[in-house]
Amino acid sequence: GTTLCGTLRRLLEARSQRKDCLPDVYVFAIAGSSLVRDHPDILRLGAMLQRQGAQLHLYFANAQFRLAGNGTDLGFEGAEFEAKAEAEVRARLGSFLPEMKCAVWDWGDRFQHPEAHLEEIALYYKSVDAPQWILSGIQSRQLPGVPEPLEDKHSVATSAWHWMLPLAFVFLNECISVTMLFPFVGYMVYDFGIVTSKDLVGKYAGYISSMYVLGQLFTGAL
């Protein structure tokens, strides 16, 4: 709720400074906990709105999860479900329900290093003997060949040079190949007798110079 409260507070304070009337605020949470209703910052925002005749509305999608003591994990056991959603969840999870967690990608480390978060989730569910369909779902989202997200910056920079340096040489070779004709192609067109007038040299020199790039266009996939 820290990010939510901070964003709302800045928006409301900006409107207050412009002497604008504060509107009703509607918050839709995909994965949230009922504890947010009693969060001190949320209560302060609600009071700010009420002083101007507006209200703060909180809506939860399907469930208000149980927030763990670490302030991050959202548990299914003890959550307040919408009736239809609860029946679906219990039918799907069965006795595994107490071990189930809601994995959220926020704007912190989990958003910046999703692979690390997926690994964290995979380790947890393997440790609690999760159903195979959960493990398969996690595995299908883990990208093969992605470098370890927890590598230090030096190792990441070093591995990047391994493919950036060859790519730089390829681009350099490309530039040389494209431009090497330019100094003499005009003389070549005229001296070979391709044209009878010097006014046409530029036209035919352009044709010849563009053939290399045109050939790449049609054969690049090969």
Side-chain angles (χ1 to χ4, degrees):
T2 303
T3 304
L4 170 65
C5 293
T7 303
L8 287 176
R9 184 172 61 253
R10 292 190 63 177
L11 291 173
L12 295 177
E13 287 175 351
R15 288 183 66 98
S16 297
Q17 291 172 2
R18 295 200 307 265
K19 308 300 182 183
D20 294 340
C21 293
L22 299 183
D24 283 4
V25 175
Y26 296 82
V27 177
F28 296 87
I30 297 175
S33 168
S34 58
L35 292 179
V36 73
R37 295 178 299 190
D38 300 320
H39 194 286
D41 288 340
I42 286 288
L43 295 176
R44 280 193 289 270
L45 289 172
M48 180 191 300
L49 290 167
Q50 287 178 356
R51 285 195 293 270
Q52 297 202 24
Q55 288 186 328
L56 175 63
H57 304 268
L58 295 176
Y59 294 90
F60 296 87
N62 293 334
Q64 299 176 37
F65 293 96
R66 177 181 56 79
L67 185 65
N70 60 10
T72 300
D73 293 338
L74 297 173
F76 282 53
E77 185 71 13
E80 300 176 35
F81 283 95
E82 185 271 336
K84 185 177 179 180
E86 182 175 13
E88 181 73 21
V89 167
R90 292 191 178 278
R92 182 76 166 165
L93 295 175
S95 60
F96 187 72
L97 182 69
E99 306 294 343
M100 191 68 183
K101 293 182 181 179
C102 179
V104 180
W105 270 257
D106 55 23
W107 291 98
D109 289 340
R110 292 178 175 181
F111 176 78
Q112 297 172 4
H113 304 289
E115 281 294 309
H117 189 32
L118 274 172
E119 184 64 26
E120 175 188 347
I121 293 170
L123 290 174
Y124 168 74
Y125 282 114
K126 288 176 182 177
S127 70
V128 293
D129 295 327
Q132 186 57 45
W133 61 268
I134 294 180
L135 298 176
S136 299
I138 295 171
Q139 187 176 9
S140 68
R141 289 162 174 79
Q142 291 179 301
L143 302 178
V146 175
E148 282 296 323
L150 298 180
E151 288 181 323
D152 58 68
K153 294 182 179 180
H154 175 72
S155 62
V156 172
T158 302
S159 62
W161 275 108
H162 289 165
W163 61 266
M164 288 180 63
L165 195 58
L167 189 60
F169 279 112
V170 170
F171 279 121
L172 177 61
N173 181 69
E174 178 77 5
C175 294
I176 294 173
S177 300
V178 170
T179 60
M180 64 179 295
L181 283 176
F182 293 170
F184 57 83
V185 66
Y187 297 103
M188 185 178 70
V189 169
Y190 188 73
D191 291 343
F192 284 3
I194 297 175
V195 296
T196 56
S197 171
K198 289 184 178 181
D199 294 337
L200 297 175
V201 167
K203 178 180 179 181
Y204 283 88
Y207 288 156
I208 294 173
S209 300
S210 62
M211 287 302 103
Y212 174 74
V213 180
L214 187 63
Q216 283 187 316
L217 176 64
F218 291 107
T219 63
L222 301 177

